[in-house]
Amino acid sequence: MAPESVVTVLSAPFQFDVVVVGAGAAGLFCAGLAGQRGLKVLLVDHSEKVGEKIRISGGGRANFTNRDLDVRAPQRHFIGDNPNFCRSALSRYAPQQFIELVQKHGIAFHEKHKGQLFCDGSSQQIVDMLLAECDAGNVTRWQPCKLGQITFSAAEVGTDRPGSYRIDSSKGLIETPKLVVATGGLSIPQIGASDFGYRLAEQFGLRVVTPRPALVPLTFGGEAWAPYAELAGLALPVRIETGAKKEKMAFLEDLLFTHRGLSGPAVLQISSYWKPGTPLTLDFAPGVNVAEALGEAKLRSKKRIANELAALVPSRLADAWVGQDPALQRPVNEAADKALAVLAERIARWQITPSGTEGYKKAEVTAGGVDTRDLSSQTMESKQPGLYFIGEVVDVTGWLGGYNFQWAWASAHACATAL
C-alpha cells in the first residue's frame, strides 16, 4: 500500500483495543457499539466531516433502512459474487432493531413507498444519533487524520500476547490488536471516497472483486440518443429489464430521461445488473395491452395517433415516438394495422443498449470490493488475524431504497459483537 505522507511524532504509541478506519455509517455504528461493550476504541477519518454519505442521502432526509427486507431471505435484495454471504449479519440485525434505536433518539420518520424509511426532518439527525452512540461508548475520534504505513506483528508463540497492528498517522503512532476497515467505496469522490480499504486488503493478501459504479445513471452514444435528448426531465413509471434466462432481472419503478441518457429509480436499480454491451428492454405502459388499446381506438376514434397514445403514456413521449415515423402522423382510423403494431411493440418493448454509466461521480454505491471468500460472515474478520471489513468496502451491494444502509448497520453490528 502506498503510504501517504504522514509525519509521525517519535513517542510511545497510542494503545487502543480497536481502531476503526472510516467515520461513515458502518464505522460510526461499529465504533459506538464496540465502545459501549467496554472496549477502548479509536475512530479515524481523513475528512473533517463525518457521515457525509448519510447527510446527502435521500434528498437530505436519509433513507436509513427498508422495512420490507425479509430477514429469512435478505440476500434477494443484494448482489455480489456470493449474495448468501450477507444473510448471517442481516438476519441477526434486522431493520426493526435499527428503527427502535431511531425511535429511542426521538427521531420522527415516515415510509415513502416500498418499505423505504426517511427522516421527517434532516438526515443530520441520524449522524447526530450515531455520534451520540459513540459518545456513550467513550469513543476517541481523530479527524482529520491521515494514515500512512500499517504493519502487523504476529502473535508470539507460547504467550498470551495477540498479534498487533502499528499504524503511522498524522497524530502519532497507533498500536492495536484489532483493525476495522469501514472506508466505503469509490462512489461520490467529491465527499472523500478513497480506495484505502482495497489497498489495505491487497497488502495483506486478501482478494478484491473489481469495483464498479452501481446504482448509477446510464448513458447513450451522442447520435443514437439525439432523438430522445429533447425528453430530458420527463419522468414516468416503467417496467425495465436486462439479462437473459437465469440472469434476467426486472424492476417496476420510475424512469427519468436526462440530456445524456436515463436515470431515476428504475435505471439505478437495473444498473447493478446491467452488463456492458447488453440491451435494456422498457415497457412504458406496464400493465396495459397497448396493441389492444390502439386497435380499439382505430375502430371508434378519428383523433390523431399521438393523441390516442397520450391516453396511455405522457404526451411528450407519445409525440416523440409518433414523430419518428411518417406512417403514424395521421388519424388513428386511417393508420395501417402493421404501423400500429410496430408502435405498440416500441411502447411495450423498447430496446436500447447503453454506451456506459455516469461513473463514480453519480453512483450511489460501489459494487465489488473485498472478496467475501476471505471474510467470516459471522464476524466480518478476514483471513488476516484481527483485520475486519464492514459496509460498502465489502463485495455486498444492496438495491436502492435503504438496503445499503441496513447492510452498513448489520455488518457493523456483527463485527462489534465479535470484537
Side-chain angles (χ1 to χ4, degrees):
M1 186 177 81
E4 297 192 37
S5 52
V6 168
V7 179
T8 303
V9 180
L10 291 173
S11 59
F14 293 96
Q15 303 275 351
F16 290 93
D17 297 329
V18 185
V19 174
V20 180
V21 182
L28 284 165
F29 194 47
C30 182
L33 288 172
Q36 288 174 41
R37 282 168 164 73
L39 296 171
K40 186 183 178 188
V41 181
L42 170 65
L43 178 61
V44 180
D45 200 288
H46 68 152
S47 176
E48 218 166 302
K49 294 179 176 175
V50 301
E52 276 294 271
K53 225 173 192 184
I54 303 171
R55 193 182 60 75
I56 66 171
S57 76
R61 291 182 188 270
N63 178 194
F64 57 82
T65 191
N66 195 300
R67 211 196 286 272
D68 287 355
L69 186 136
D70 181 355
V71 292
R72 291 159 305 176
Q75 68 279 11
R76 80 180 188 88
H77 293 110
F78 292 83
I79 63 165
D81 275 9
N82 175 19
N84 285 318
F85 174 86
C86 63
R87 189 174 190 157
S88 172
L90 287 165
S91 59
R92 286 181 290 137
Y93 191 80
Q96 188 53 40
Q97 287 163 275
F98 192 78
I99 291 166
E100 285 164 9
L101 181 65
V102 169
Q103 289 170 326
K104 183 183 127 187
H105 283 262
I107 300 170
F109 61 90
H110 60 278
E111 181 175 330
K112 208 166 181 180
H113 72 145
K114 295 187 176 180
Q116 300 171 13
L117 301 187
F118 291 78
C119 299
D120 287 356
S122 160
S123 53
Q124 186 61 41
Q125 293 174 287
I126 299 291
V127 179
D128 292 342
M129 175 190 85
L130 294 169
L131 289 172
E133 289 291 307
C134 283
D135 289 344
N138 295 314
V139 173
T140 303
R141 289 196 286 125
W142 287 0
Q143 11 145 178
C145 176
K146 284 189 162 47
L147 299 187
Q149 191 175 22
I150 297 177
T151 56
F152 177 71
S153 304
E156 290 176 17
V157 180
T159 72
D160 291 339
R161 193 172 173 274
S164 74
Y165 292 88
R166 286 174 77 89
I167 307 165
D168 286 334
S169 90
S170 54
K171 292 191 182 287
L173 187 64
I174 309 161
E175 201 166 71
T176 181
K178 309 272 187 185
L179 179 58
V180 179
V181 179
T183 54
L186 300 172
S187 46
I188 324 180
Q190 57 272 37
I191 61 166
S194 144
D195 66 350
F196 172 88
Y198 309 137
R199 286 187 284 127
L200 190 68
E202 286 170 344
Q203 178 190 331
F204 287 106
L206 307 175
R207 292 168 285 191
V208 174
V209 176
T210 306
R212 61 184 172 86
L215 301 184
V216 63
L218 298 172
T219 57
F220 299 82
E223 284 302 303
W225 191 247
Y228 314 110
E230 66 194 45
L231 291 171
L234 174 68
L236 73 160
V238 300
R239 182 181 187 277
I240 189 168
E241 70 174 53
T242 192
K245 295 179 181 168
K246 280 187 178 175
E247 293 197 340
K248 184 183 281 189
M249 195 65 198
F251 290 95
L252 274 166
E253 286 281 6
D254 286 352
L255 175 82
L256 174 69
F257 282 85
T258 71
H259 289 290
R260 288 164 51 84
L262 297 172
S263 187
V267 169
L268 298 187
Q269 291 282 40
I270 211 75
S271 70
S272 296
Y273 295 87
W274 173 73
K275 291 189 173 138
T278 57
L280 303 175
T281 303
L282 289 108
D283 180 353
F284 292 113
V288 176
N289 187 326
V290 180
E292 204 174 89
L294 290 176
E296 285 174 3
K298 183 177 176 175
L299 297 175
R300 61 170 170 74
S301 172
K302 291 181 181 176
K303 287 182 184 173
R304 295 186 74 78
I305 293 171
N307 291 358
E308 284 294 343
L309 189 58
L312 308 177
V313 298
S315 56
R316 279 175 71 192
L317 185 76
D319 290 342
W321 256 239
V322 169
Q324 290 177 46
D325 187 351
L328 297 171
Q329 288 155 31
R330 62 189 66 199
V332 67
N333 64 325
E334 294 175 17
D337 289 346
K338 188 178 177 186
L340 290 180
V342 169
L343 175 62
E345 179 70 8
R346 286 198 73 212
I347 291 293
R349 290 195 60 77
W350 185 49
Q351 281 212 338
I352 188 162
T353 302
S355 56
T357 77
E358 289 277 11
Y360 289 118
K361 195 174 177 185
K362 296 282 180 74
E364 298 210 359
V365 294
T366 305
V370 179
D371 196 320
T372 55
R373 289 175 298 176
D374 291 343
L375 302 177
S376 159
S377 62
Q378 296 288 315
T379 66
M380 308 308 293
E381 185 175 14
S382 71
K383 288 180 177 176
Q384 165 66 25
L387 180 61
Y388 300 74
F389 291 86
I390 58 174
E392 193 182 343
V393 73
V394 178
D395 178 30
V396 171
T397 303
W399 286 8
L400 188 73
Y403 293 103
N404 286 293
F405 275 133
Q406 187 58 34
W407 168 245
W409 317 135
S411 58
H413 178 268
C415 178
T417 308
L419 288 169

